[in-house]
Amino acid sequence: MDLTKKILPSDVEVDGIFYPVKTDHFYWFNFARLIKKEVSAADFDFLYEDEKPADRQKGFAALCGFFAPKKELPRFNGIQEKEIALDYEIDSDYIFAAILEQYGIDLFEKGIHWHKVLAMIQALHDVKLTKIIEYRLYKKPQKNETYESQMEELKKIWRIESEEEKKERSEAEKREKEFFAKTRK
């Protein structure tokens, strides 16, 4: 979410062309349900306001980017957990209740921009849903793991990088991509 802008995104870009999309949360909860099934890229056409991109696969990739915008934090140290923390369909009752309890917003009363709903979900605390997520992500501490080592790991994951570190990481990622591109040829 970019707080320097007056409005939230309302389109996706495919091959340099911007396609307006429906932004209300109920469309995107439906998107979450559909991506778990074997459907074609054209099955997501309901998300476009008017025109649809000719290349539906690229359009689907752009819709995925709108659905789950890339976040800088938390940072993962090369290891992605395989645990599924949240399922928008299975957890729908808890999501509804948590947003109603925490923010006083009834998701059935009006459509709310998907990115606002994502931000609200990410900031939830002390509700049944966050406890369920904690249970799902519980990891038994290693034998010699201390509170301090756990906090150091959390600090690494949530630390804000300096502009110089971002530049160095970007350059390293670029070199890595170039190396793998050369080795595949």
Side-chain angles (χ1 to χ4, degrees):
M1 194 176 278
D2 186 349
L3 296 178
T4 64
K5 300 203 166 117
K6 283 187 164 189
I7 59 171
L8 290 166
S10 61
D11 50 31
V12 295
E13 182 181 0
V14 179
D15 292 331
I17 300 170
F18 290 90
Y19 296 91
V21 294
K22 295 177 175 137
T23 60
D24 290 343
H25 66 280
F26 37 83
Y27 293 108
W28 295 94
F29 280 121
N30 196 29
F31 177 89
R33 183 179 56 79
L34 285 175
I35 59 173
K36 294 189 301 184
K37 301 177 182 203
E38 287 188 33
V39 295
S40 73
D43 290 324
F44 297 94
D45 284 353
F46 71 93
L47 290 164
Y48 297 103
E49 287 287 353
D50 300 310
E51 283 187 64
K52 294 142 191 72
D55 187 334
R56 293 298 203 285
Q57 286 303 120
K58 286 183 181 178
F60 176 72
L63 292 172
C64 287
F66 188 91
F67 173 71
K70 188 176 179 185
K71 300 286 183 196
E72 188 171 346
L73 294 174
R75 182 179 306 102
F76 294 98
N77 298 332
I79 301 171
Q80 291 277 356
E81 293 293 328
K82 293 182 181 178
E83 303 295 331
I84 298 171
L86 180 70
D87 182 292
Y88 294 116
E89 189 172 12
I90 293 170
D91 296 322
S92 61
D93 291 348
Y94 296 109
I95 293 168
F96 170 80
I99 289 176
L100 184 61
E101 179 182 335
Q102 196 116 103
Y103 307 109
I105 296 173
D106 183 336
L107 291 175
F108 287 103
E109 286 185 1
K110 66 175 184 167
I112 299 172
H113 193 287
W114 175 244
H115 291 179
K116 288 182 181 181
V117 172
L118 283 179
M120 287 188 282
I121 291 171
Q122 290 169 359
L124 288 171
H125 57 88
D126 302 326
V127 293
K128 183 70 173 180
L129 179 64
T130 58
K131 288 180 176 57
I132 291 168
I133 291 170
E134 281 180 44
Y135 303 150
R136 289 177 182 158
L137 297 179
Y138 174 76
K139 186 176 101 180
K140 185 177 180 180
Q142 295 180 1
K143 197 172 193 178
N144 60 355
E145 191 172 33
T146 64
Y147 173 77
E148 288 80 16
S149 64
Q150 292 172 348
M151 293 308 293
E152 283 296 324
E153 186 61 27
L154 288 171
K155 181 179 178 178
K156 285 180 198 173
I157 291 170
W158 286 97
R159 187 178 69 76
I160 298 174
E161 291 180 316
S162 69
E163 289 302 316
E164 186 176 305
E165 290 171 316
K166 285 181 189 178
K167 184 178 176 185
E168 287 173 9
R169 183 174 43 81
S170 176
E171 289 171 0
E173 288 171 356
K174 183 179 175 185
R175 285 191 303 273
E176 186 176 306
K177 283 181 184 176
E178 289 172 353
F179 173 76
F180 284 119
K182 287 178 184 176
T183 58
R184 290 184 193 162
K185 289 182 181 178

